């Protein structure tokens, strides 16, 4: 738990009128200064004591006396009995004795009272502000990750887009494994053989480790290894692997999940081979329906009737369903489009990326359901992304006091104190 007085000062939750120093002089805070988050000193603050304006450092002190500064113009304490420096003005800012302990107990007990407080009061403007802030943080967090991918991909947008797409195909259960696959896929090798569907599929399945015969259930192994399609994939991968020195994942890692990755990998290979999924086409799309059509490339050949190597043939829709395509738009297309727009200084693309999140339905998962129980509804994908960020970066890290929900809660407590 961070220092309570630090949060009060940083967020200007102190009274804006009627402040006086401990010597009884009238005090006005013009600028509360800047802080690096590592110390109790706020630099370049500006205050007015009586008729004199001063610029310098404001030093905060909680229960104990903290670091001092030669440029100090004001000491802020919570205890009038503690005199810090006779030569420097001092102000006492109080808060209810139990406020800090209350917030700490919320964290310890996973009690979401500050969050419920916002929703219970029905202050939709405040709730909108919180979700908007969380969404911005979520987008910028993803943008930073995509920027790293862009640099790693030698500033090639097509590779950046597709690597991000591969990661998004984890759909939760295989998230880590698809990230690993995205990291080891050789896009130079893929680009040189993009016109050859069987070679593209060979690279995808081979680098995933799924052309290893031991990855096939023993009761299907004999029939699969005699299958013409599998033999062709294996032959092509052996050739391409030697040619490009390709790396392969350990097939055993896929056994840890409860669902087969084969269809998703086949779909990725099909999308890559089709050439429709590229940065230019994504940027030119004007609707979610167009994006869905680009992603939902139908499967063909062996994968039209199988869900893995061997086994019973399946007969179903060869296209991805709407829920799956929307997850990919949320987690891959919108973030990449946003960063692409920033790079090109085409902020209409950035706006389009955010518009997609507001237009898509809310994701439905454990975290979204939890927030609904707290009285906070998720009405679209922008809301669910915001709530996921709130849970990940604040609740799960016990950063309650840094959260906007806690900010509004503390503000209401101090107002009524």
């Amino acid at each position: 738990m961070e220092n309570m007085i630090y949060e009060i000062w940083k967020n200007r939750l102190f009274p804006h009128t009627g402040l006086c120093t401990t010597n009884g002089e009238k005090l006005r805070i013009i600028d509360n200064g800047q802080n690096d988050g590592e110390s109790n000193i706020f630099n370049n603050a500006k205050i007015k004591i009586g008729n004199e304006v001063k610029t310098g450092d404001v030093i905060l002190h909680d229960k104990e006396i903290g670091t001092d500064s030669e440029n100090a113009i004001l000491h802020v304490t919570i205890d009038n009995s503690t005199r810090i420096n006779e030569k420097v003005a001092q102000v006492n800012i109080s808060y209810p004795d139990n406020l800090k302990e209350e917030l700490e107990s919320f964290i310890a007990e996973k009690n979401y009272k500050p969050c419920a407080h916002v929703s219970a009061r029905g202050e939709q403007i405040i709730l909108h502000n919180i979700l908007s802030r969380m969404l911005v943080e979520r987008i910028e967090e993803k943008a930073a990750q995509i920027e790293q991918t862009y640099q790693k991909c030698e500033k090639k947008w097509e590779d950046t887009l597709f690597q991000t797409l591969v990661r998004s195909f984890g759909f939760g259960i295989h998230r880590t494994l698809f990230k690993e696959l995205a990291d080891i896929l050789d896009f130079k090798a893929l680009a040189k053989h993009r016109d050859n569907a069987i070679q593209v599929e060979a690279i995808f399945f081979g680098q995933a480790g799924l052309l290893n015969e031991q990855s096939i259930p023993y009761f299907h192994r004999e029939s699969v290894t005699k299958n013409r399609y599998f033999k062709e994939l294996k032959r092509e991968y052996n050739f391409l692997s030697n040619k490009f020195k390709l790396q392969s994942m350990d097939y055993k890692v896929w056994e840890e999940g409860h669902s087969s990755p084969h269809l998703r990998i086949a779909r990725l290979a099909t999308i890559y081979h089709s050439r429709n999924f590229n940065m230019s086409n994504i940027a030119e799309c004007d609707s979610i329906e167009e994006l869905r059509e680009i992603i939902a490339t139908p499967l063909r050949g062996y994968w039209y009737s199988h869900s893995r190597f061997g086994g019973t043939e399946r007969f179903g829709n060869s296209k991805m369903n709407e829920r799956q395509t929307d997850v990919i738009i949320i987690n891959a297309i919108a973030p990449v489009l946003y960063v692409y727009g920033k790079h090109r200084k085409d902020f209409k693309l950035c706006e389009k990326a955010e518009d997609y999140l507001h237009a898509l339905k809310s994701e439905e998962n454990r975290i979204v359901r939890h927030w609904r129980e707290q009285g906070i509804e998720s009405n679209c994908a922008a809301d669910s992304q915001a709530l996921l960020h709130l849970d990940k970066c604040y609740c799960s890290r016990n950063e309650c006091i840094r959260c906007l929900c806690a900010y509004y809660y503390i503000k209401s407590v101090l107002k009524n104190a």
Side-chain angles (χ1 to χ4, degrees):
M1 170 71 74
E2 286 190 41
N3 183 318
M4 178 66 74
I5 201 168
Y6 172 91
E7 293 299 321
I8 291 174
W9 187 263
K10 181 184 73 172
N11 293 305
R12 297 182 65 87
L13 295 175
F14 46 78
H16 289 193
T17 59
L19 275 179
C20 290
T21 68
T22 51
N23 290 336
E25 296 176 284
K26 187 176 179 181
L27 171 67
R28 183 163 72 91
I29 312 301
I30 301 171
D31 187 334
N32 56 328
Q34 294 87 45
N35 180 271
D36 58 9
E38 301 294 329
S39 73
N40 65 318
I41 301 176
F42 278 72
N43 307 115
N44 300 316
K46 189 175 183 180
I47 65 174
K48 185 176 183 180
I49 301 177
N51 295 320
E52 184 181 3
V53 175
K54 297 184 177 183
T55 302
D57 297 340
V58 170
I59 319 297
L60 310 184
H61 307 271
D62 201 346
K63 299 295 182 182
E64 300 177 0
I65 297 176
T67 308
D68 206 339
S69 165
E70 294 181 358
N71 298 318
I73 56 172
L74 183 69
H75 288 279
V76 181
T77 62
I78 59 167
D79 185 356
N80 269 323
S81 65
T82 304
R83 186 64 184 148
I84 307 298
N85 187 326
E86 295 292 339
K87 297 180 181 180
V88 179
Q90 182 172 329
V91 65
N92 181 66
I93 294 178
S94 62
Y95 57 83
D97 293 337
N98 65 338
L99 180 57
K100 185 173 181 179
E101 289 74 14
E102 187 179 46
L103 286 172
E104 287 174 340
S105 73
F106 294 159
I107 293 172
E109 299 169 11
K110 295 297 179 183
N111 182 323
Y112 291 82
K113 185 175 178 180
C115 315
H117 170 80
V118 172
S119 61
R121 293 179 64 184
E123 297 190 15
Q124 292 303 309
I125 293 178
I126 289 177
L127 185 57
H128 174 76
N129 289 343
I130 293 171
L131 293 181
S132 295
R133 169 72 175 275
M134 293 300 109
L135 179 62
V136 169
E137 290 186 15
R138 178 78 164 181
I139 290 173
E140 291 300 334
E141 180 185 56
K142 287 188 175 184
Q145 295 169 353
I146 290 166
E147 187 65 47
Q148 290 178 353
T149 302
Y150 177 65
Q151 297 299 326
K152 183 180 175 182
C153 291
E154 300 176 350
K155 298 184 178 181
K156 296 177 181 177
W157 279 113
E158 302 307 319
D159 291 356
T160 302
L161 175 64
F162 209 84
Q163 193 170 95
T164 307
L165 176 73
V166 175
R167 288 173 181 160
S168 73
F169 262 61
F171 294 129
I173 192 169
H174 284 137
R175 181 180 300 146
T176 303
L177 299 181
F178 272 86
K179 180 182 182 303
E180 184 180 345
L181 176 60
D183 289 342
I184 70 166
L185 274 175
D186 192 318
F187 286 96
K188 290 181 180 178
L190 281 167
K192 289 183 178 180
H193 296 273
R194 192 168 189 172
D195 291 331
N196 188 313
I198 196 72
Q199 290 182 322
V200 169
E201 291 174 12
I203 292 174
F204 271 90
F205 281 108
Q207 291 207 260
L210 295 175
L211 294 181
N212 186 319
E213 294 176 6
Q214 297 302 311
S215 69
I216 304 166
Y218 72 92
F219 41 85
H220 293 310
R221 196 170 298 158
E222 184 178 355
S223 63
V224 171
T225 52
K226 292 179 180 178
N227 179 275
R228 185 176 66 178
Y229 171 67
F230 184 83
K231 288 165 67 175
E232 192 174 3
L233 284 179
K234 185 130 183 162
R235 182 175 61 251
E236 290 291 350
Y237 185 67
N238 287 338
F239 166 72
L240 295 168
S241 180
N242 290 326
K243 179 180 179 181
F244 295 105
K245 308 299 181 188
L246 301 179
Q247 294 179 298
S248 296
M249 295 171 63
D250 185 345
Y251 73 89
K252 294 178 182 178
V253 297
W254 298 104
E255 297 174 356
E256 298 172 5
H258 299 290
S259 63
S260 168
H262 294 73
L263 271 185
R264 280 174 280 167
I265 293 174
R267 196 176 299 281
L268 282 167
T270 303
I271 293 172
Y272 187 83
H273 172 65
S274 74
R275 292 182 178 270
N276 289 329
F277 189 84
N278 57 61
M279 206 65 244
S280 177
N281 285 351
I282 294 297
E284 289 175 5
C285 282
D286 291 320
S287 69
I288 291 171
E289 288 70 25
E290 291 179 70
L291 288 178
R292 287 173 179 156
E293 193 61 29
I294 290 175
I295 301 166
T297 305
L299 293 170
R300 58 169 181 264
Y302 187 86
W303 299 109
Y304 182 79
S305 57
H306 290 79
S307 58
R308 61 179 305 150
F309 290 120
T312 307
E313 291 189 354
R314 67 178 186 91
F315 298 96
N317 193 336
S318 65
K319 284 190 174 185
M320 294 180 73
N321 62 47
E322 189 174 290
R323 181 188 64 81
Q324 292 173 320
T325 56
D326 288 355
V327 168
I328 291 166
I329 293 171
I330 293 167
N331 293 313
I333 293 179
V336 174
L337 184 62
Y338 179 85
V339 180
Y340 182 68
K342 286 181 69 174
H343 270 259
R344 293 172 62 91
K345 292 183 170 51
D346 185 346
F347 298 108
K348 287 185 178 179
L349 293 179
C350 299
E351 291 175 8
K352 186 188 288 188
E354 292 189 46
D355 287 343
Y356 287 146
L357 297 179
H358 286 282
L360 288 168
K361 292 180 181 178
S362 169
E363 298 155 277
E364 190 61 34
N365 52 46
R366 174 184 58 81
I367 293 171
V368 170
R369 288 192 293 272
H370 161 77
W371 286 114
R372 188 177 297 129
E373 291 169 1
Q374 304 303 318
I376 299 179
E377 288 290 341
S378 178
N379 299 310
C380 62
D383 288 348
S384 57
Q385 284 288 290
L387 292 172
L388 287 170
H389 185 79
L390 179 58
D391 183 85
K392 173 190 170 186
C393 296
Y394 294 88
C395 306
S396 297
R397 296 177 184 176
N398 292 338
E399 294 281 6
C400 182
I401 199 168
R402 291 181 53 245
C403 168
L404 277 176
C405 291
Y407 163 79
Y408 285 112
Y409 181 72
I410 294 170
K411 185 176 182 179
S412 68
V413 171
L414 295 179
K415 183 179 180 181
N416 298 319

